[in-house]
Every structure is written in C-alpha cells, then in structure tokens.
C-alpha cells in the first residue's frame, strides 16, 4: 500500500512557542493535526459523493430544523448572512430547498427541504455514519468517554475567552 503524507506524524509545525512548555506544544500540534485530518477525511468522503461541504452542513441544519429562518441558519452555521443567502440560492436552483414567507411575519423567510433535499439528506447521513464508524467507532467506549470529556473541557476553556 502506498504511503500518504498523513500516514505518519509530520514534523511539528509549531516548535518552541515562547512561554509554552514542550508537552503543551506537542499536545497543540497533535490537536492541530487531528483537526486537519478530520477536515481532509470529511472532505474526501463528501467529495466521493459529490457533496459540497458547506452545503452539506446547511442541509443538515435545515433537515433538523425545518422552517428555520435564513438568519437563524446563518447563526447556526457561523456564516455571514450573504454567504448563506448565496448557498440557499444554489440549493434552491438544484431543487434541494424551498423558501417560504412566514405566515405571521412576512419579513421572515423560512427554509424547508424538498423531497429531493430529503433524499440527499439521507445519503449525507450514510456518509456521516461511515465517517463516525471509521474514526470514533474504532475507539472503545472508555476512550470515547475520555475524549468527549477532554474535548468538552477544551471547548469550555475556549468559550470562556470568546
């Protein structure tokens, strides 16, 4: 089997960060590498099914929150409203979503999946299930709990600073 660039740990990108001990720097490098590999693998799996990653996230949110407003969707995706508007235009042109004015407040536009969008959502869930099985699914229950706990701790520290 051919070796790929991600098959082995590369030399650390971040070395000798002033004021940071070596162990913390190594941890930071490992975390950075995990994020990068997560992104690359997800992109690879999505690309194999001709999914556009940004639209995939949008599709997931709309499926889980039918009738979500464009503004709420932008907030959930952490994207600028104009970026989401362009994504929705493309998804609407592809027949994946419909936008409807709210019955009570005509200023609000609500977003729903079409039957075609729902079918694509089912395919997307199959890709996500595969991704989870080949990554997190290979960990023991104890490892999953430990990682989840550590990631929650990390998220808490990061959120405090936002």
């Amino acid at each position: 089997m051919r070796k790929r660039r991600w098959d082995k740990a590369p030399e650390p990108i971040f070395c000798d960060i002033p004021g940071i001990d070596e162990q913390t720097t190594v941890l930071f490098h490992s975390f950075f590498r995990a994020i990068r590999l997560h992104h690359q693998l997800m992109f690879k799996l999505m690309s194999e099914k001709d999914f556009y990653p940004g639209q995939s996230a949008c599709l997931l949110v709309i499926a889980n929150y039918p009738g979500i407003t464009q503004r709420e969707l932008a907030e959930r995706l952490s994207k600028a409203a104009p970026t989401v508007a362009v994504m929705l235009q493309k998804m609407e042109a592809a027949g994946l979503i419909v936008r409807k004015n709210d019955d009570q407040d005509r200023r609000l536009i609500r977003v729903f999946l079409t039957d075609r969008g729902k079918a694509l959502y089912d395919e997307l869930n199959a890709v996500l299930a595969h991704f989870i099985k080949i990554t997190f699914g290979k960990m023991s229950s104890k490892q999953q709990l430990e990682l989840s706990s550590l990631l929650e701790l990390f998220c808490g520290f990061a959120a405090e600073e936002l």
Side-chain angles (χ1 to χ4, degrees), residues 132-133 135-145 147:
I132 291 167
K133 286 177 187 174
T135 54
F136 302 109
K138 292 181 179 180
M139 295 179 184
S140 69
S141 293
K142 182 181 177 191
Q143 289 170 326
Q144 288 177 358
L145 287 170
L147 180 58

Side-chain angles (χ1 to χ4, degrees), residues 10-18 20-22 25-26 28-29:
E11 290 295 318
I13 297 169
F14 309 100
C15 299
D16 299 327
I17 302 171
I20 305 297
D21 63 87
E22 183 179 347
T25 300
V26 169
F28 177 75
H29 178 69

